[in-house]
Amino acid sequence: MSSLLTAGANKFRRAREWATPTLKDSAFLQRGVLTPEEFVKAGDELVYRCPTWTWESGDPKKAKKYLPKDKQFLVTRSVPCPTRVSTLENSVAVGEEDTAQIEDECGGDDWLISKVISPEEQERRMDKKIEEEFDILDEDGETLESDMKNLKIEKPENESVEVAEAEDDEYADMEEFEDEDVLEDEAVVAAPNAVSTNENIVKVRTYDLSITYDKYYQTPRVYILGYASSDSSQPLTGEEMFQDVMSDYANRTVTIDPHPHLRGQYASIHPCQHGAVMKTIVKNLTKAASDGDESKPPSVEMYLFIFLKFISSIIPTINYDFTMDVTASTQ
């Protein structure tokens, strides 16, 4: 029954897109959307600056007439995804005020912008906490210093002999560990969610990401397909791919859909609010530039860099590469 409903929904979407007239006039600044020509221009800039991305033609039978035959969609392959998104879930912080504002701007609670605290930020906060604890200890510094002066450490006469014997014992213990193959590869410890073999070779999930042009919503649309490792030919199931999507979006903003240019089922990020979010970001970037910020006003060529920036809040552990630092604020 569910498969029949899915097939019916796909036919409806295809019919709706076919009936929608192609956008001719630029509405990049006004509505955060693109014409097909602007999509190609933005894609060319992405490919130029980030060689990991390339244009693809896909199935000729599925080619869209409003796009060049050799530039139907963008793709980057074998993108590493070393950890599951569940490791970040407890680091997500969406305040009530932020949520209310985002809902007003993005048209309802079906589209949320999760704020993920990066590993660098978590480390910075931990360092700060440690510094604060040491500051508390420093308040008793005089007492600690006097106590240290009162300590008398006697140096044994045969210290050099004892140190040498201790080092010999340590090396002997290390040899036992090596013989028993107990030493673990650092990479295995660093990536506990990755799949490892008996040879301590870590196998990390990889993803193929593609960006298509959605004629109905007049914005880019992202499709992802995951694999258990870079040398695996068997795609992940939909449920497995949802493990790499923020839980706020799984089965809501992100669904399993057929790719418009390729065979197979992909996890797709629904574009219903892409235009609204992009409009807000572009507006903020334009305002920052007009207020004397060093940044330049956004252009159509920058669209996909900004777009990928906010998409990363949905799939934060998939490390697709883009070489430009873009500040994309939705506030």
Side-chain angles (χ1 to χ4, degrees):
M1 185 67 173
S2 59
S3 60
L4 291 175
L5 291 174
T6 301
N10 291 334
K11 288 183 179 179
F12 171 74
R13 281 195 290 266
R14 288 195 296 268
R16 182 180 62 183
E17 183 169 335
W18 174 83
T20 301
T22 304
L23 182 64
K24 299 294 184 182
D25 299 325
S26 178
F28 165 62
L29 296 176
Q30 295 80 7
R31 297 194 288 119
V33 298
L34 295 176
T35 65
E37 291 77 12
E38 289 174 332
F39 173 71
V40 172
K41 185 181 294 185
D44 286 342
E45 187 71 11
L46 179 65
V47 170
Y48 172 73
R49 293 183 179 269
C50 304
T52 54
W53 288 92
T54 58
W55 281 109
E56 295 280 336
S57 56
D59 187 345
K61 297 180 181 179
K62 298 182 178 181
K64 310 299 182 183
K65 295 181 180 180
Y66 47 82
L67 292 171
K69 291 183 179 179
D70 59 340
K71 295 181 179 181
Q72 291 287 304
F73 65 100
L74 294 148
V75 65
T76 181
R77 293 187 172 86
S78 299
V79 179
C81 181
T83 59
R84 306 290 67 76
V85 79
S86 58
T87 61
L88 299 178
E89 289 283 313
N90 55 5
S91 299
V92 176
V94 178
E96 292 181 1
E97 295 180 0
D98 294 337
T99 302
Q101 183 173 2
I102 292 170
E103 288 177 3
D104 289 341
E105 293 173 348
C106 301
D109 58 0
D110 284 343
W111 186 271
L112 304 175
I113 304 298
S114 293
K115 296 182 180 177
V116 180
I117 302 176
S118 66
E120 293 79 8
E121 175 65 14
Q122 294 181 48
E123 183 177 356
R124 187 190 68 78
R125 294 187 181 187
M126 181 60 69
D127 291 341
K128 183 178 179 181
K129 183 177 180 181
I130 293 173
E131 289 176 4
E132 291 174 351
E133 291 176 353
F134 273 104
D135 288 341
I136 295 174
L137 292 175
D138 288 343
E139 293 176 1
D140 299 327
E142 294 182 0
T143 304
L144 292 173
E145 184 176 358
S146 61
D147 290 343
M148 291 298 293
K149 289 181 178 179
N150 293 330
L151 287 176
K152 294 182 179 180
I153 303 175
E154 296 182 359
K155 181 178 181 181
E157 296 178 359
N158 57 344
E159 178 184 12
S160 60
V161 177
E162 292 180 359
V163 171
E165 291 178 352
E167 290 179 351
D168 291 340
D169 292 339
E170 181 179 350
Y171 288 129
D173 292 340
M174 292 298 291
E175 290 176 358
E176 291 179 6
F177 280 123
E178 291 174 358
D179 291 340
E180 295 173 4
D181 194 25
V182 177
L183 291 177
E184 296 182 356
D185 191 296
E186 291 182 359
V188 177
V189 178
N193 292 304
V195 178
S196 61
T197 66
N198 292 333
E199 293 81 13
N200 280 347
I201 299 175
V202 178
K203 292 194 173 183
V204 175
R205 280 187 179 185
T206 62
Y207 275 86
D208 294 346
L209 278 74
S210 57
I211 305 175
T212 68
Y213 179 78
D214 191 291
K215 182 185 173 189
Y216 180 77
Y217 289 103
Q218 301 167 343
T219 64
R221 181 169 185 167
V222 172
Y223 290 83
I224 63 174
L225 183 64
Y227 299 88
S229 64
S230 58
D231 57 358
S232 174
S233 60
Q234 182 62 37
L236 299 175
T237 65
E239 289 302 318
E240 288 172 331
M241 286 190 285
F242 281 150
Q243 295 172 358
D244 299 315
V245 175
M246 295 299 289
S247 60
D248 289 340
Y249 308 109
N251 283 312
R252 297 174 65 191
T253 303
V254 181
T255 54
I256 304 301
D257 297 298
H259 195 285
H261 299 281
L262 302 171
R263 293 181 180 179
Q265 298 291 315
Y266 288 64
S268 167
I269 302 176
H270 200 273
C272 62
Q273 295 297 332
H274 284 3
V277 175
M278 288 298 296
K279 176 185 176 181
T280 301
I281 296 174
V282 169
K283 178 181 177 182
N284 290 337
L285 290 175
T286 302
K287 184 177 185 300
S290 64
D291 289 344
D293 195 337
E294 294 182 358
S295 60
K296 297 180 180 179
S299 62
V300 167
E301 288 82 0
M302 293 293 296
Y303 190 101
L304 288 178
F305 295 98
I306 303 170
F307 176 77
L308 289 171
K309 191 74 172 179
F310 90 79
I311 287 294
S312 67
S313 69
I314 303 174
I315 47 176
T317 59
I318 301 179
N319 301 325
Y320 53 82
D321 179 43
F322 51 96
T323 60
M324 299 182 66
D325 184 19
V326 180
T327 302
S329 173
T330 59
Q331 299 302 312

